[in-house]
């Protein structure tokens, strides 16, 4: 199973008719779990397979492999994670998979394919003693920097080509609903604007098509940064 196979299904803002909810729970010692629920139409799965075939020039990964327990377990195992639960459902032209994986330390989370093959995680000391900062770049840190610069450029210009591209992309993304939830081992203190505080120790980002109102919005959500600062008192984290 190609590493890109699982990642392909979880690319943020990749396609329409995609519902994905992912919760990453980080424990006080750096161990934790990832829970993913993915729902998509059979037609969307076929579109992803076709796009994958064109991109791979014949070396085609199987995007449906995320629905196969043994394939997912093998890929997670190769990254050091353990598949704890995997359940699938197929009804009314839609496919659903629910899976849970565990990791033994933060270094292993950084290798997890479940946020995408380009994802980068950072864990560092926070701005004040006794705090820690957790950051996720789903498309990588460099991509986030480029997206931020591009969004600022778009906001300062009136580019008709960019506007037309956005209009077409907005139509394609109808039905998109992606949730990324971070649960940390201490009380949440500070978080980025693209997150909502949804619990004492939890922040959540929800990306839906109706939130993408401008070309700048689209560019920023295609390569976001999610960051949370929390109370790390009593934690044994590799800061």
């Amino acid at each position: 199973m190609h590493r890109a196979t699982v990642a392909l299904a979880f690319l943020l803002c990749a396609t329409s008719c995609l519902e994905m909810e992912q919760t990453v729970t980080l424990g006080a010692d750096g161990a934790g779990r990832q829970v993913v629920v993915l729902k998509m139409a059979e037609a969307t799965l076929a579109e992803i397979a076709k796009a994958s075939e064109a991109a791979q020039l014949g070396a085609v990964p199987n995007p449906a492999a995320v629905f196969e327990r043994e394939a997912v377990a093998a890929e997670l195992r190769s990254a050091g994670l353990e598949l704890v639960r995997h359940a699938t459902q197929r009804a009314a032209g839609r496919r659903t998979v629910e899976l849970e994986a565990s990791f033994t330390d933060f270094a292993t989370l950084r290798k997890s394919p479940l946020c995408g093959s380009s994802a980068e995680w950072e864990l560092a000391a926070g701005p004040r003693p006794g705090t820690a900062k957790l950051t996720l770049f789903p498309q990588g840190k460099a991509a986030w920097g480029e997206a931020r610069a591009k969004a600022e450029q778009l906001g300062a210009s009136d580019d008709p080509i960019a506007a037309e591209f956005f209009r077409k992309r907005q139509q394609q993304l109808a039905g998109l609903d992606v949730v990324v939830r971070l649960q940390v081992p201490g009380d949440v203190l500070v978080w980025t604007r693209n997150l909502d505080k949804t619990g004492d120790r939890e922040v959540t980002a929800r990306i839906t098509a109706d939130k993408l109102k401008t070309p700048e919005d689209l560019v920023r959500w295609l390569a976001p940064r999610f960051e949370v600062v929390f109370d790390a008192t009593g934690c044994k984290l590799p800061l």
Side-chain angles (χ1 to χ4, degrees), residues 16-237:
S16 63
C17 302
L18 170 66
E19 296 177 37
M20 189 273 283
E21 182 172 340
Q22 177 162 183
T23 301
V24 178
T25 303
L26 182 69
D29 60 353
R33 59 191 175 91
Q34 285 181 278
V35 177
V36 176
V37 179
L38 174 70
K39 302 177 182 179
M40 69 169 66
E42 297 272 14
T44 300
L45 192 59
E47 290 174 10
I48 293 175
K50 186 180 295 184
S52 174
E53 183 174 3
Q56 295 291 327
L57 300 177
V60 187
N62 175 19
V66 71
F67 297 97
E68 301 170 7
R69 181 183 179 91
E70 292 307 316
V72 173
E75 181 166 358
L76 290 172
R77 194 181 308 116
S78 69
L81 290 86
E82 179 184 355
L83 181 63
V84 177
R85 180 171 60 90
H86 186 278
T88 61
Q89 184 177 354
R90 192 171 193 169
R94 291 178 65 80
R95 301 284 295 274
T96 301
V97 60
E98 300 182 23
L99 66 89
E100 178 179 347
S102 63
F103 51 91
T104 56
D105 51 38
F106 183 72
T108 302
L109 171 62
R110 297 184 70 183
K111 296 184 290 184
S112 171
L114 293 180
C115 285
S117 58
S118 299
E120 293 182 37
W121 290 89
E122 293 182 355
L123 182 62
R128 298 199 306 269
T131 66
K133 179 173 63 177
L134 177 66
T135 309
L136 167 62
F137 301 94
Q139 298 301 321
K141 191 171 184 177
W144 166 71
E146 293 169 4
R148 183 175 60 170
K150 181 63 175 177
E152 291 173 355
Q153 178 185 345
L154 288 170
S157 66
D158 185 15
D159 187 341
I161 296 177
E164 177 62 16
F165 171 79
F166 169 70
R167 186 186 65 78
K168 292 180 179 179
R169 195 73 172 109
Q170 193 177 37
Q171 293 174 346
Q172 295 169 351
L173 292 172
L176 179 75
D177 192 351
V178 175
V179 175
V180 178
R181 183 178 296 108
L182 303 177
Q183 296 178 338
V184 291
D187 288 348
V188 169
L189 303 173
V190 183
W191 55 97
T192 46
R193 289 185 297 174
N194 55 4
L195 292 168
D196 293 314
K197 184 180 178 183
T198 48
D200 290 342
R201 299 185 174 190
E202 178 183 280
V203 290
T204 303
R206 185 173 186 183
I207 308 163
T208 56
D210 60 1
K211 286 188 175 181
L212 306 177
K213 300 182 183 301
T214 66
E216 303 97 273
D217 292 339
L218 177 61
V219 169
R220 289 184 186 277
W221 277 116
L222 282 172
R225 177 195 64 166
F226 303 128
E227 188 168 273
V228 56
V229 176
F230 60 93
D231 182 1
T233 305
C235 295
K236 297 180 180 179
L237 298 169

